[in-house]
Amino acid sequence: MFGLMMNTPLLISAIAEHAARYHGGREIVSVTADNPRHRYTYGDCIGRAKKLANALNGLGAKRGDRVATLAWNDYRHLEAYYGISGAGHVCHTINPRLFPEQLVFIINHAEDRWIFTDVMFVPLLEAIADKIPNVEGFVVMTDEAHMPETQLSNVMCYESLIADESDEFDWPEFDEQTASALCYTSGTTGDPKGVLYDHRSTLLHAYAAVAPDVMSMSSRDVVLPVVPLFHVNSWGSPYAAFMAGAKLVLPGPKMGDGEVLCELLDSEDVTLSLGVPTVWLALLQYCEKTGKRLDKLQRTLIGGAAVPRSMIQEFRDKHDVEVRQGWGMTETSPLGVASTLKAGLENRSPDEKLDFAAKAGRGIFGCELRIVDEEGSALPWDGEAYGPLQVRGPWVCSDYFKLDGSAGTHTDDGWFDTGDVATIDPEGYMAITDRTKDVIKSGGEWISSIELENTIMAHPAVAEAAVIGIAHPKWTERPLLVVVKAEGQDVTGDELLAFYEGRVAKWWIPTDVEFVDELPHTATGKVKKIELRRQFKDYQLSG
Ligand code: AMP
């Protein structure tokens, strides 16, 4: 027997309508390339998204067509999110930090018909224009006064494109599993793979994101997503904020700049911010140097890479900011777990609480987890056993765009193999020990590079650290610690190795230390281990 409840489809346009009706006057503040502080409201945003939807119809866009964006976080990009997906097209967010060959690959693979671009990425597109012949037009997201000279053909100015369009638009109704957005994983090997989100997955994920033990986002919050709109839909924040009615602050092209961030956080009364650890490193360093305090910020959601315990501690002790770690992937929309304190753990010591906060987090309803052994049998949740992490749920991808199961990432019983190795403790907190391919194998056992990195991050002379495995004739591999020193600090390799004593198992302590000026980062701000391994491929260990 079926229930008798309405089957109204979960559509992104419904969030837009909700935001316009209930939070129409709530502010959206953007830093853009042509305006240091643009202000308007949710009502304005949705009106302009509807103008864009009308303009796309005028261009001949059909349901399911891919319309790409190549842009930083600002209000025009946000309008594109709602205008494109709401009208039934697929918003393909492109990461501008990809190599030109990867850009060419994903634009052609996605069969993008139009690309909406920031002015600053026009040269990038000019350089590859002859290799993306199926793109019918480029829309530069600025006004006529700021239009660049360009050799691109069929170029339109965003403001002119929408200027004469109506701000009335009847959002179409369609199946909630219709594709809404497309994001390619910046795979370190092989071609990038496209994750194709749908309206249903996006809305369910947004409901989860606003929940108290996840982002805890309400209409009283002011949210600054430092995570790019091209990185897993900015972790769903544009949908969650519209659903909640939170004020949104979009940092534009200077997202990684500590000074810009600090000023925005303070002057716009930001209560919640989201970003990868490298972003916070820059902010905390800036605060340390200038003596600034983050008085208004209440919490940060940090994920995309392991969050060093020392970072959580610094936020807590110096700024009274709660760090919520999250784990997720492009394939999981991305939220999979979040690390808030469970009932029953309140009376633990501050140190123990920090231990929980330093884990990736505990399960969010909607994303099931399991860890398995080599035969695929479930491992115990004892905080000790580790193995490949598998997930499933309504916002986890069931396949990649146009790969028809050939990626080999899904198990026969319908779970997605994340490529991460993890432990899960009896309280349900999951901790990532490594990416499968980054695990260091020493003497038949595994060493967690993440734990070695997190441990050394607590040393005051270390600004950033990465650990990689170097081939060893006896042990198969031994860890090499690669360190960027904190500004004005000096330290020797031996001092750093001594710091590990008593903090990790003796045989885990890296064999050698190398100092570098900077570490290579991926397009989404994570340390690029593959590049680091390449840099040190001929490295001779001292022991
Ligand atoms: P991406 O799809 O580019 O967002 O990358 C997802 C990957 O980032 C995951 O598979 C993990 O390897 C890594 N990651 C994300 N969050 C965390 C976390 N909290 N701790 C450790 N690794 C993380």
Side-chain angles (χ1 to χ4, degrees):
M1 184 163 70
F2 286 110
L4 289 171
M5 306 308 282
M6 290 185 192
N7 191 13
T8 50
L10 298 173
L11 299 180
I12 287 171
S13 56
I15 315 184
E17 287 306 304
H18 173 85
R21 176 162 301 275
Y22 291 98
H23 309 288
R26 199 71 166 123
E27 220 179 7
I28 298 172
V29 181
S30 307
V31 176
T32 71
D34 54 41
N35 186 343
R37 207 61 71 92
H38 174 275
R39 295 176 186 279
Y40 73 170
T41 64
Y42 274 33
D44 298 330
C45 175
I46 297 306
R48 283 167 53 92
K50 288 180 173 176
K51 279 169 164 274
L52 174 58
N54 280 317
L56 285 168
N57 275 353
L59 288 176
K62 295 188 306 297
R63 182 90 38 95
D65 278 349
R66 268 76 69 202
V67 182
T69 62
L70 189 64
W72 293 113
N73 292 15
D74 71 22
Y75 67 101
R76 292 189 183 105
H77 199 175
L78 196 62
E79 292 161 10
Y81 257 56
Y82 280 95
I84 295 169
S85 302
H89 318 303
V90 178
C91 181
H92 170 203
T93 51
I94 303 177
N95 184 339
R97 297 185 187 127
L98 295 176
F99 295 122
E101 311 83 72
Q102 290 176 313
L103 289 175
V104 168
F105 174 84
I106 67 171
I107 291 167
N108 288 333
H109 190 265
E111 299 171 68
D112 294 325
R113 286 188 68 186
W114 297 275
I115 298 180
F116 284 62
T117 178
D118 274 351
V119 174
M120 68 176 67
F121 299 127
V122 167
L124 201 62
L125 289 168
E126 284 173 339
I128 59 169
D130 60 335
K131 302 197 181 75
I132 47 171
N134 298 327
V135 175
E136 292 166 39
F138 300 91
V139 180
V140 185
M141 292 205 274
T142 190
D143 54 20
E144 288 293 348
H146 295 88
M147 278 297 280
E149 292 267 325
T150 175
Q151 293 137 21
L152 288 173
S153 50
N154 212 355
V155 174
M156 294 162 267
C157 166
Y158 182 87
E159 291 299 334
S160 309
L161 177 71
I162 66 168
D164 297 330
E165 298 292 345
S166 164
D167 60 4
E168 297 286 325
F169 182 79
D170 283 332
W171 299 113
E173 259 206 25
F174 38 73
D175 190 301
E176 63 187 16
Q177 284 194 280
T178 301
S180 59
L182 178 61
C183 183
Y184 282 76
T185 56
S186 42
T188 40
T189 50
D191 288 327
K193 298 194 281 285
V195 177
L196 190 60
Y197 308 101
D198 61 42
H199 287 254
R200 176 172 181 268
S201 70
T202 304
L203 264 74
L204 293 175
H205 181 267
Y207 278 122
V210 299
D213 273 331
V214 185
M215 292 190 201
S216 186
M217 195 189 286
S218 82
S219 66
R220 294 162 301 283
D221 273 307
V222 180
V223 181
L224 171 64
V226 193
V227 53
L229 287 167
F230 56 74
H231 186 204
V232 210
N233 301 322
S234 193
W235 300 352
S237 58
Y239 307 114
F242 274 58
M243 203 179 249
K247 171 177 160 182
L248 254 182
V249 183
L250 302 170
K254 288 202 152 183
M255 336 225 294
D257 185 307
E259 183 174 358
V260 172
L261 274 186
C262 190
E263 209 278 316
L264 269 180
L265 289 166
D266 192 53
S267 60
E268 298 297 337
D269 301 324
V270 174
T271 56
L272 165 66
S273 193
L274 300 79
V276 294
T278 28
V279 161
W280 305 117
L281 219 68
L283 178 73
L284 290 173
Q285 275 167 5
Y286 174 76
C287 290
E288 190 65 28
K289 213 160 76 189
T290 55
K292 292 238 161 68
R293 212 175 160 274
L294 304 168
D295 286 326
K296 297 173 182 153
L297 190 65
Q298 295 169 5
R299 57 199 182 283
T300 55
L301 182 75
I302 313 185
V307 186
R309 202 172 187 273
S310 52
M311 179 178 281
I312 304 171
Q313 204 165 9
E314 190 168 342
F315 266 118
R316 186 192 69 185
D317 298 346
K318 293 195 178 154
H319 302 281
D320 199 18
V321 171
E322 179 197 357
V323 169
R324 294 184 174 191
Q325 182 161 179
W327 167 90
M329 312 177 67
T330 308
E331 289 88 338
T332 65
S333 296
L335 292 169
V337 304
S339 71
T340 48
L341 204 68
K342 247 170 84 167
L345 301 177
E346 305 93 334
N347 296 329
R348 300 289 183 99
S349 70
D351 232 34
E352 279 177 292
K353 286 185 190 165
L354 208 55
D355 287 340
F356 283 111
K359 297 194 174 197
R362 60 191 163 88
I364 295 169
F365 176 72
C367 184
E368 284 178 82
L369 312 176
R370 72 179 184 190
I371 44 175
V372 296
D373 64 16
E374 272 157 26
E375 279 79 49
S377 307
L379 287 168
W381 290 22
D382 58 8
E384 300 288 331
Y386 53 84
L389 173 70
Q390 300 180 345
V391 297
R392 70 172 178 186
W395 58 80
V396 176
C397 74
S398 62
D399 198 357
Y400 293 97
F401 187 43
K402 299 205 285 199
L403 286 194
D404 297 327
S406 63
T409 43
H410 289 75
T411 65
D412 291 342
D413 59 347
W415 291 67
F416 170 67
D417 205 332
T418 63
D420 284 329
V421 178
T423 60
I424 306 179
D425 71 18
E427 298 287 352
Y429 286 79
M430 184 270 279
I432 301 285
T433 51
D434 257 312
R435 287 294 291 165
T436 318
K437 56 189 182 306
D438 293 339
V439 161
I440 299 165
K441 293 161 212 97
S442 180
E445 302 264 10
W446 284 4
I447 295 176
S448 160
S449 65
I450 291 186
E451 196 165 331
L452 290 176
E453 288 155 9
N454 283 348
T455 304
I456 208 64
M457 285 301 291
H459 192 290
V462 175
E464 209 178 359
V467 176
I468 52 171
I470 299 284
H472 189 280
K474 179 170 175 197
W475 302 111
T476 315
E477 279 182 330
R478 287 296 302 155
L480 168 71
L481 170 65
V482 187
V483 167
V484 180
K485 284 184 203 166
E487 221 179 294
Q489 298 272 354
D490 208 10
V491 68
T492 66
D494 284 343
E495 283 164 344
L496 290 180
L497 295 182
F499 189 78
Y500 279 114
E501 310 239 345
R503 290 183 165 92
V504 300
K506 233 180 163 41
W507 62 275
W508 277 34
I509 297 179
T511 301
D512 281 324
V513 183
E514 281 295 315
F515 293 99
V516 292
D517 291 336
E518 59 180 349
L519 291 171
H521 289 105
T522 66
T524 49
K526 303 170 199 199
V527 174
K528 208 183 207 166
K529 293 257 175 106
I530 198 158
E531 174 60 31
L532 208 58
R533 278 195 284 268
R534 204 172 294 140
Q535 271 177 33
F536 288 95
K537 74 176 178 0
D538 299 323
Y539 190 80
Q540 295 295 322
L541 289 163
S542 64

